[in-house]
Amino acid sequence: MNDAAPAPTPAPAPRRRARVRAPELIGKGGWLNTGGDDLTLADLRGKIVLLDFWTFCCVNCLHVLDELRDLEEKHRDTLVIVGVHSPKFVHEAEHQAVVDAVERYEVHHPVLDDPELATWKQYAVRAWPTLVVIDPEGYVVAQHAGEGHANAIRTLVEELEAEHEAKGTLRRGDGPYVAPEPVATDLRFPGKAILLPSGNFLVSDTTRHQLVELAADGETVVRRIGEGVFREPQGLAQLPDGTVVVADTVNHALRVLDPETGAIERIAGTGKQWWQGSPTSGPALDVDLSSPWDVAWWQGKVWIAMAGVHQLWTYDPATKTVEVAAGTTNEGLVDGPVDEAWFAQPSGLAATEDRLWVADSETSALRWVDTEGVVHTAVGTGLFDFGHRDGAAGQALLQHPLGVTALPDGSVAVSDTYNHALRRYDPASGEVTTLATDLREPSDAVLVDGDIVVVESARHRLTRLRLPEEAVQVEAVAHRTRREATEVAPGRLRLDVVFQAPNGQKLDERYGPSTRLLVSSTPPELLLAGEGTGTDLFRELDLNPELTEGVLHVSAMAASCDDDPANEYPACHVHQQDWGVPVKITAAGVSRLPLILAGMDA
């Protein structure tokens, strides 16, 4: 008999990872939230660094900011999150607009303002949002696009902590974040407003997470409502019974306010964000929602601009149910029957007797739904064209509008947010004009006694304007996104969506395929073959040699579950992302297009 103690079991060797030296962080706009210091990767050596490539127009980016808050708090002595602000729209390249967005969305980590997409290009990023993990020695070890990766990144951060603690390459302690000085104003980035029967205004005071009632002068604070209840509330709509429905955006819920008593009640949403595969109809309090941005009363129901999933939903107060009313969750501009139409972050609604007007922000479009259930576009052409151009609606341009207001003559006023303007579209003439300029990120407007009161979100106030008899003359400008087109070869193009299940997880195949890939194009004739939906994360595409450019629309989803045979009910995680990839067809172009959902491209 051998009484010797058994040899200790050796610790498992760290998992080998592909490592690529991280490029330097550069951006002409400089650094925010660092107390005025510029950061380099050398300054961050010894820390785990998570680069968050985001832009403030992108609702998916805002979702990821919220997903990362818990991770940021729990690992603040080892992990430094760095936001790399990478603009889509021209307005987003303005430094002050980035400063405003960092405050508006409560970003509590350093942010690099990269208006020319220099760092974006160095890291070969193709989508908003994209997350890149850099280890304490300065190597890229993982990349993720889209939402739903917080759990995978948490696992990776814990692995890197253990690995580099053992190697002596981990540096614990405070990070470089320095909070800016708070600013005192009565409103802080207000979102939407309505006129109450009393003549007072009710305003969603978004960054302060409450509603504010202002007197008829639009300035004097009467009362503040809902402190501790709301998170970044946006849209407001008065119902026939006098109550007000509130889009409680970051809580993914609808609430109803009784203005007389101040009582607030949740009427829809669970507080959890909707994901692919979740119910799309049912008892309102049992169905998840996703960033409801505006609400309107139309045809006996509350219509909801569900920005987070690019759809319109409805809430029926008679049956207390919700359901999808228009849109497929695909992001883009496609008209037609409501169950086939595509939207892109619908953010503003206005109802008339025969139309529901929609400010479709990411396509810089003004659209409407008719009473027959068909979606139409008045102004706008797609995800990548925007500007400030008046004239015939077919060639007019907006830039990321967030609000629309019905006017008495049948026309509508558009809060043309990133053009800092109030625009007008007249269905009778088919013309677009400019009513006012020199506003600051207008996000909504309310008609009051022949005047129009504009929510100037980035000036933190309501501004009353006379509706002019003649339009303002504005020099026309047109823009395309600053993203460079990917040069691809004519003919056959291999599309690969790269997805590697996080360590400790596996693809969830219990109920069938756990992956989904949807491919389409603008214009549709760009693809001769390869469009449609499938379960493989790769696709052979045939490109039309008669075209020279276009956009590939790719939507991918993968579900992975914890790989623990002893656990009958493992935790599962959905990873998803939509890409709009501008392509230019050239003889010297690539024949393979990799899009990283999670992992590293071999």
Side-chain angles (χ1 to χ4, degrees):
M1 182 175 176
N2 187 350
D3 292 328
T9 303
R15 184 171 53 146
R16 290 188 62 83
R17 298 185 188 86
R19 300 206 310 171
V20 177
R21 177 63 72 181
E24 190 52 84
L25 306 177
I26 52 175
K28 267 194 164 182
W31 288 88
L32 305 175
N33 284 355
T34 63
D37 293 337
D38 292 342
L39 299 181
T40 66
L41 285 177
D43 298 326
L44 301 173
R45 195 62 49 80
K47 296 287 190 182
I48 302 162
V49 179
L50 175 60
L51 302 183
D52 176 14
F53 290 87
W54 70 298
T55 188
F56 63 79
C57 73
C58 160
V59 72
N60 310 92
C61 300
L62 304 185
H63 290 166
V64 167
L65 281 174
D66 289 326
E67 285 181 10
L68 296 178
R69 294 189 197 279
D70 185 58
L71 180 77
E72 187 169 32
E73 178 61 30
K74 288 184 176 177
H75 297 271
R76 63 171 51 255
D77 69 329
T78 59
L79 173 69
V80 175
I81 298 179
V82 173
V84 182
H85 189 268
S86 312
K88 171 185 174 181
F89 290 99
V90 169
H91 169 59
E92 292 175 305
E94 297 176 16
H95 182 69
Q96 185 57 47
V98 181
V99 173
D100 289 344
V102 167
E103 180 191 349
R104 181 196 297 261
Y105 297 117
E106 298 180 305
V107 180
H108 295 158
H109 50 249
V111 173
L112 174 64
D113 180 11
D114 182 18
E116 296 180 347
L117 301 182
T119 297
W120 166 288
K121 294 170 188 172
Q122 287 293 309
Y123 282 82
V125 175
R126 295 184 185 275
W128 295 278
T130 290
L131 301 169
V132 175
V133 181
I134 301 172
D135 72 14
E137 294 179 289
Y139 289 90
V140 174
V141 293
Q143 183 170 328
H144 304 264
E147 302 178 49
H149 302 292
N151 186 71
I153 292 172
R154 176 188 58 77
T155 301
L156 177 56
V157 166
E158 291 171 353
E159 290 176 2
L160 290 171
E161 284 176 341
E163 178 182 334
H164 288 272
E165 190 95 77
K167 291 174 66 176
T169 50
L170 184 70
R171 177 167 56 91
R172 292 185 179 272
D174 292 339
Y177 170 66
V178 178
E181 289 293 323
V183 182
T185 53
D186 287 333
L187 300 174
R188 206 69 196 161
F189 298 104
K192 307 286 186 181
I194 59 171
L195 186 66
L196 296 171
S198 64
N200 290 351
F201 296 93
L202 187 65
V203 184
S204 55
D205 194 20
T206 302
T207 300
R208 296 234 174 90
H209 312 293
Q210 60 188 351
L211 309 181
V212 176
E213 183 178 343
L214 299 178
D217 62 7
E219 297 180 3
T220 305
V221 175
V222 176
R223 59 174 169 162
R224 299 181 182 276
I225 303 166
E227 184 176 357
V229 176
F230 299 109
R231 286 188 65 204
E232 297 183 24
Q234 285 283 349
L236 307 165
Q238 190 141 36
L239 302 187
D241 65 3
T243 60
V244 176
V245 173
V246 183
D248 191 4
T249 304
V250 175
N251 278 328
H252 308 295
L254 298 187
R255 300 186 193 274
V256 66
L257 164 71
D258 184 335
E260 296 297 321
T261 66
I264 302 170
E265 178 186 0
R266 179 171 56 91
I267 58 170
T270 64
K272 297 178 181 178
Q273 184 184 338
W274 186 93
W275 288 98
Q276 290 287 352
S278 301
T280 55
S281 63
L285 291 172
D286 297 337
V287 178
D288 299 338
L289 308 181
S290 182
S291 297
W293 211 273
D294 203 6
V295 281
W297 179 254
W298 191 53
Q299 294 189 319
K301 295 181 180 179
V302 176
W303 286 67
I304 309 163
M306 202 73 77
V309 287
H310 317 299
Q311 291 179 312
L312 305 180
W313 288 40
T314 57
Y315 166 74
D316 186 343
T319 60
K320 294 183 170 51
T321 57
V322 291
E323 63 180 352
V324 173
T328 64
T329 76
N330 295 316
E331 184 179 13
L333 193 154
V334 176
D335 289 338
V338 289
D339 58 350
E340 299 175 9
W342 292 20
F343 294 91
Q345 268 179 239
S347 301
L349 300 175
T352 64
E353 186 175 343
D354 60 348
R355 293 186 182 189
L356 180 72
W357 293 98
V358 182
D360 201 28
S361 62
E362 277 295 291
T363 51
S364 298
L366 173 65
R367 307 176 73 186
W368 84 89
V369 183
D370 66 25
T371 55
E372 302 299 316
V374 178
V375 177
H376 309 261
T377 297
V379 182
T381 58
L383 285 166
F384 299 110
D385 293 290
F386 50 90
H388 191 145
R389 182 195 286 153
D390 289 330
Q395 56 86 53
L397 294 171
L398 308 169
Q399 188 180 179
H400 198 78
L402 291 178
V404 58
T405 305
L407 301 179
D409 64 358
S411 67
V412 290
V414 179
S415 295
D416 193 6
T417 309
Y418 288 3
N419 279 327
H420 309 301
L422 192 68
R423 312 286 293 282
R424 176 178 179 264
Y425 168 66
D426 183 357
S429 67
E431 293 287 311
V432 175
T433 54
T434 297
L435 297 174
T437 58
D438 300 321
L439 302 168
R440 187 69 186 169
E441 291 192 17
S443 54
D444 198 16
V446 182
L447 199 65
V448 183
D449 299 328
D451 292 347
I452 195 158
V453 176
V454 180
V455 180
E456 275 198 277
S457 189
R459 282 201 179 111
H460 320 293
R461 70 187 189 191
L462 303 188
T463 300
R464 189 166 184 139
L465 304 172
R466 297 291 299 175
L467 278 173
E469 294 180 5
E470 294 186 5
V472 178
Q473 296 298 312
V474 176
E475 184 178 352
V477 288
H479 304 288
R480 296 211 75 191
T481 177
R482 289 170 176 256
R483 290 177 58 189
E484 292 181 356
T486 299
E487 294 191 0
V488 296
R492 183 61 58 91
L493 176 68
R494 166 83 177 203
L495 172 67
D496 283 317
V497 173
V498 177
F499 178 77
Q500 295 158 2
N503 193 28
Q505 296 180 30
K506 63 179 181 179
L507 289 175
D508 179 18
E509 306 284 359
R510 291 172 298 165
Y511 307 107
S514 61
T515 56
R516 188 191 72 161
L517 179 64
L518 172 67
V519 180
S520 63
S521 66
T522 302
E525 53 269 24
L526 175 66
L527 283 179
L528 297 178
E531 74 278 7
T533 303
T535 57
D536 292 322
L537 291 181
F538 62 88
R539 190 77 57 85
E540 297 288 346
L541 309 179
D542 284 333
L543 302 179
N544 189 339
E546 297 182 4
L547 297 182
T548 58
E549 63 180 9
V551 178
L552 292 175
H553 302 283
V554 181
S555 178
M557 184 273 289
S560 62
C561 293
D562 293 347
D563 188 9
D564 181 1
N567 186 353
E568 186 178 356
Y569 302 103
C572 295
H573 314 275
V574 177
H575 317 265
Q576 63 184 47
Q577 173 63 12
D578 294 336
W579 291 267
V581 183
V583 295
K584 183 182 295 184
I585 300 175
T586 66
V590 298
S591 59
R592 175 178 177 264
L593 177 62
L595 299 176
I596 296 178
L597 180 59
M600 299 282 282
D601 182 26

